[in-house]
Amino acid sequence: MQPISLARPQLLNAIWAMHDVKGFLDDNDIAQLSTLFGVSAVEIEGVVSFYHFFHRKPSGRHTIYLNNSILSEFSGFEEVKRAFEKETGAALGKVDPTGNFGFYETSCIGLSDQEPAALIDFCPFTELTPQKVKYIVSKLKTGSSAAAICEAPKDHIRYTPPDDRAFIFREFEPGRAIKKLVDLEPQEVFNQIKEAGLMGMGGAFFPTGLKWELCRRNHSNRKFVVCNADEGEPGTFKDRVLLNHEPGLVIEGMILGAYAVGASEGKIYLRAEYRYLKDKIEATIQDFRDRGLLGDDLPAKKPFSFDIKVQLGAGAYVCGEETALLNSMEGLRGEPRTKLYFPVERGYLSKPTIVNNVETFACTARIIELGPQAMLRLGTKESPGTKLISVSGDCERPGVYEIEWGMKLGDFLDLVGAQDPYFIQVSGPSGTSVSMKERGRRISREDLTCGGSFMVFNKNRDVLQILMNFSNFFKHESCGICTPCRAGNFIMNRKLQKIQLGLGSLRDLVDLEDWGKTLKQASRCGLGQMAPNSIIDAIHKFPEYFDSRVDKSGSRLNRGFDMAAAVREYEAAVK
Ligand SMILES: Cc1cc2nc3c(=O)[nH]c(=O)nc-3n(C[C@H](O)[C@H](O)[C@H](O)COP(=O)(O)O)c2cc1C
Ligand code: SF4
């Protein structure tokens, strides 16, 4: 193991370093970490057990994680799963008897436009088929490394606004925005961001300039800039594409943020599922240092030093929530904090911190490079600029689209080549479900908001299967710290199961709505608050579907429905 610092924020890195040696941590490792960090073994166990990618038992010389998102399910998850089981000899969730392969399922890995997809030893494998699986496993059995045989995922940037109206995906040269700092006071930077009307692109749409100003106002000897690259919302992969295509643009935005708020340390919290991007991002950071754009005494009107490190996550969707992310960076369980303080007041290590999304930082770099007017001329009055949207599902051209805010839903669906669309999930499972009756709505913050993804499903897809997949996701990803989310997601999941089995009644729909309200009102963080969204939307917007799935009169029982058999089936399913 590399020599490590004993400071608690190094814990995740230390666990990774030990874990990489043999693919799991044994009792000795836990004891060693406990001594090194001066905390109890139970405390270390608590952190290790929180993250999906840390194992306490052998996980195979090669560890396979097959994505189980709904997009994977609809593009062949089952047959690919069977192929892995056959070729490796490892049942799902197990290691094969020779110890060669560990085979697990995992939540969305940000490759929804190239499903079914898997990570093997954290290298990406896309568009899997049983034949492809056979080939991959045979190569691994004969000594190839996963890194040697995987292919870099495609970026699939399908569309940018014509006539020089692209804002993000346009030509980039490192330092163009940073060089402007020699003429700008820190407050002029956030004032320009405010003038452009930029709202955060991570889903909550908080005004970025205001966030930076608030952080500036909090005096401290240390401040931090954090880039949230945890992108775990199923169906969302725009940040992966942006980080792969133009990492420098994101880094440039972080440097501007640091100057504006007075920070000297930056971190990119990169989800472990994107570990294969780490080298490229670090090489870009080094390139910025070599160009004199990162490090000490940077060219700016006020004295300015700043540098960036990459922090790898370890597999937990909730760590995208900014306070959970900060806890994770501090080497704690990635549980959301109670909101006594905003990160701009007490963030990383209790110091003022700005946390922004990958795309947000890219936008700030463009605003300073091109001026606020360049953004204001795009989009609508209330939603200036462009938006990156990840598109997947039943459409001809899945991939990433940069569109101007304000495009009509119907036009967007035509643009992506949507095939007979019926159920469209906007902004991932925690977003909004829309029907084709809403074709005329505009994708904008004032109408149909979009955090960054569209999943298109046609008439042949079963709405309950989609909802069930989403519900399984939330049930699994809930950190469990607050009861409404922990219990509510479980109960809603069981209700959906009941309806799926043909046992649903009108009462169950009402119960789902009631539980949805409880989750929304009483959950500690956005995960629990947003988890019921798609279920409630679906009940309201697809009544014809639920009419055929739910017994509203009791007549099904009267028609000789075998209740006892159905209950047995239900009990077997939920065991
Ligand atoms: C469960 C959950 C997951 C989240 N995941 C992400 C994420 O992966 N990326 C992100 O930028 N924001 C995510 N957010 C939102 C962040 O908490 C935060 O609002 C955002 O990083 C702020 O950046 P912005 O202002 O630039 O949007 C998530 C929120 C919740 C509740
Ligand atoms: S809402 Fe869910 S994920 Fe968020 S803190 Fe509560 S239990 Fe954890």
Side-chain angles (χ1 to χ4, degrees):
M1 201 179 71
Q2 299 288 317
I4 54 165
S5 137
L6 302 184
R8 184 69 187 251
Q10 282 301 312
L11 180 59
L12 232 53
N13 292 339
I15 296 176
W16 268 121
M18 277 186 174
H19 200 276
D20 280 349
V21 175
K22 52 186 188 301
F24 73 106
L25 298 180
D26 61 25
D27 291 347
N28 277 336
D29 297 327
I30 299 284
Q32 212 184 327
L33 287 165
S34 160
T35 311
L36 283 170
F37 284 86
V39 295
S40 69
V42 171
E43 178 92 13
I44 302 287
E45 291 271 17
V47 175
V48 170
S49 64
F50 187 82
Y51 297 95
H52 183 58
F53 293 130
F54 292 152
H55 295 265
R56 285 286 277 116
K57 289 190 204 145
S59 60
R61 276 180 282 281
H62 297 290
T63 313
I64 303 165
Y65 293 102
L66 179 61
N67 171 29
N68 64 10
S69 76
I70 189 63
L71 299 147
S72 172
E73 222 174 285
F74 284 152
S75 20
F77 172 88
E78 264 309 316
E79 56 176 1
V80 168
K81 182 193 97 173
R82 279 198 298 274
F84 269 121
E85 288 182 326
K86 178 165 170 249
E87 301 302 331
T88 62
L92 193 63
K94 298 268 183 328
V95 178
D96 78 297
T98 68
N100 235 350
F101 296 99
F103 180 37
Y104 307 91
E105 57 185 326
T106 198
S107 303
C108 184
I109 56 176
L111 292 165
S112 312
D113 55 340
Q114 299 160 58
E115 295 292 352
L119 296 170
I120 304 180
D121 303 337
F122 290 100
C123 301
F125 290 82
T126 57
E127 292 171 343
L128 292 167
T129 59
Q131 293 73 17
K132 224 168 160 178
V133 168
K134 190 170 179 182
Y135 170 78
I136 293 164
V137 175
S138 72
K139 291 300 261 184
L140 295 174
K141 279 182 178 168
T142 52
S144 294
S145 69
I149 55 170
C150 75
E151 278 177 34
K154 298 183 187 70
D155 279 350
H156 285 154
I157 298 169
R158 303 287 190 188
Y159 177 85
T160 54
D163 308 324
D164 197 30
R165 293 176 79 80
F167 196 60
I168 299 290
F169 291 133
R170 58 190 295 132
E171 187 232 339
F172 170 72
E173 197 193 304
R176 267 197 207 150
I178 297 166
K179 282 176 189 147
K180 305 225 164 171
L181 295 183
V182 290
D183 296 320
L184 293 175
E185 294 286 338
Q187 46 274 33
E188 287 177 281
V189 175
F190 61 69
N191 280 341
Q192 289 198 22
I193 307 296
K194 278 166 94 175
E195 190 185 332
L198 179 66
M199 308 277 191
M201 298 293 187
F205 300 107
F206 190 85
T208 308
L210 176 61
K211 183 184 282 187
W212 291 14
E213 182 179 8
L214 292 171
C215 189
R216 172 101 212 153
R217 278 199 221 146
N218 288 310
H219 297 286
S220 171
N221 56 347
R222 266 178 111 182
K223 291 186 188 179
F224 295 95
V225 170
V226 175
C227 175
N228 187 342
D230 199 48
E231 197 172 57
E233 188 72 37
T236 314
F237 48 90
K238 55 153 186 111
D239 293 344
R240 166 190 47 93
V241 170
L242 186 47
L243 281 171
N244 187 47
H245 184 75
E246 215 62 277
L249 190 62
V250 182
I251 290 164
E252 187 123 352
M254 290 179 71
I255 296 169
L256 301 173
Y259 182 67
V261 306
S264 53
E265 296 164 72
K267 301 250 183 199
I268 299 176
Y269 186 91
L270 183 70
R271 68 188 307 225
E273 289 84 344
Y274 294 170
R275 189 171 164 168
Y276 53 89
L277 294 177
K278 189 166 177 267
D279 285 351
K280 184 171 188 172
I281 296 169
E282 285 179 336
T284 313
I285 292 172
Q286 189 53 47
D287 179 50
F288 269 62
R289 286 188 196 122
D290 296 344
R291 291 168 185 261
L293 300 172
L294 272 177
D296 290 335
D297 302 320
L298 299 170
K301 196 165 179 184
K302 286 278 149 65
F304 177 42
S305 300
F306 180 65
D307 211 338
I308 299 176
K309 286 187 182 151
V310 179
Q311 172 65 59
L312 202 62
Y317 162 69
V318 72
C319 284
E321 195 277 342
E322 57 189 9
T323 63
L325 182 148
L326 295 171
N327 276 352
S328 178
M329 282 189 4
E330 289 183 13
L332 306 170
R333 288 164 68 84
E335 284 156 353
R337 299 176 180 173
T338 46
K339 306 291 183 291
L340 297 175
Y341 300 98
F342 290 113
V344 291
E345 299 165 293
R346 293 192 191 183
Y348 182 53
L349 304 177
S350 295
K351 300 290 179 186
T353 303
I354 50 166
V355 181
N356 280 114
N357 172 257
V358 171
E359 185 185 351
T360 310
F361 280 120
C363 289
T364 62
R366 289 302 192 202
I367 293 168
I368 300 302
E369 177 195 341
L370 305 167
Q373 285 304 324
M375 182 161 145
L376 288 168
R377 79 191 173 105
L378 307 169
T380 69
K381 195 158 169 283
E382 289 90 349
S383 313
T386 63
K387 179 80 194 104
L388 300 186
I389 303 185
S390 339
V391 178
S392 57
D394 297 314
C395 61
E396 281 160 25
R397 293 174 291 280
V400 171
Y401 290 69
E402 180 180 0
I403 62 158
E404 286 188 53
W405 286 109
M407 188 181 274
K408 276 196 182 157
L409 170 65
D411 294 339
F412 186 60
L413 291 173
D414 292 342
L415 185 66
V416 308
Q419 296 153 330
D420 194 16
Y422 173 65
F423 182 101
I424 297 125
Q425 188 64 27
V426 181
S427 308
S430 56
T432 319
S433 319
V434 296
S435 78
M436 290 315 291
K437 288 188 193 123
E438 299 168 79
R439 279 192 77 97
R441 291 183 68 184
R442 291 192 184 271
I443 303 168
S444 60
R445 292 191 288 261
E446 59 274 23
D447 187 1
L448 181 57
T449 57
C450 178
S453 87
F454 261 66
M455 294 187 248
V456 183
F457 301 109
N458 69 28
K459 244 237 117 104
N460 299 323
R461 307 300 187 187
D462 182 24
V463 173
L464 267 172
Q465 191 182 344
I466 300 168
L467 297 179
M468 204 52 203
N469 183 288
F470 292 172
S471 172
N472 286 337
F473 168 76
F474 288 121
K475 189 172 70 131
H476 183 255
E477 296 295 337
S478 163
C479 82
I481 206 166
C482 62
T483 311
C485 171
R486 184 182 63 242
N489 274 309
F490 182 85
I491 290 165
M492 291 184 83
N493 189 269
R494 289 289 158 93
K495 289 263 169 212
L496 286 177
Q497 249 175 1
K498 190 179 166 201
I499 299 171
Q500 249 189 340
L501 288 167
L503 292 168
S505 68
L506 194 55
R507 181 71 242 169
D508 294 308
L509 297 186
V510 175
D511 283 354
L512 280 169
E513 288 232 30
D514 285 349
W515 274 105
K517 280 185 201 143
T518 305
L519 262 82
K520 270 191 171 312
Q521 285 164 11
S523 295
R524 178 189 286 192
C525 87
L527 188 151
Q529 290 156 10
M530 314 291 246
N533 283 358
S534 51
I535 300 174
I536 307 305
D537 273 352
I539 292 172
H540 284 256
K541 295 185 180 179
F542 299 86
E544 70 287 355
Y545 174 83
F546 283 93
D547 275 352
S548 66
R549 300 300 295 248
V550 166
D551 183 16
K552 292 194 166 167
S553 62
S555 59
R556 205 170 292 165
L557 299 181
N558 297 340
R559 284 199 305 267
F561 179 75
D562 186 349
M563 184 66 164
V567 169
R568 278 198 301 279
E569 195 187 336
Y570 172 67
E571 283 175 351
V574 298
K575 226 176 209 168

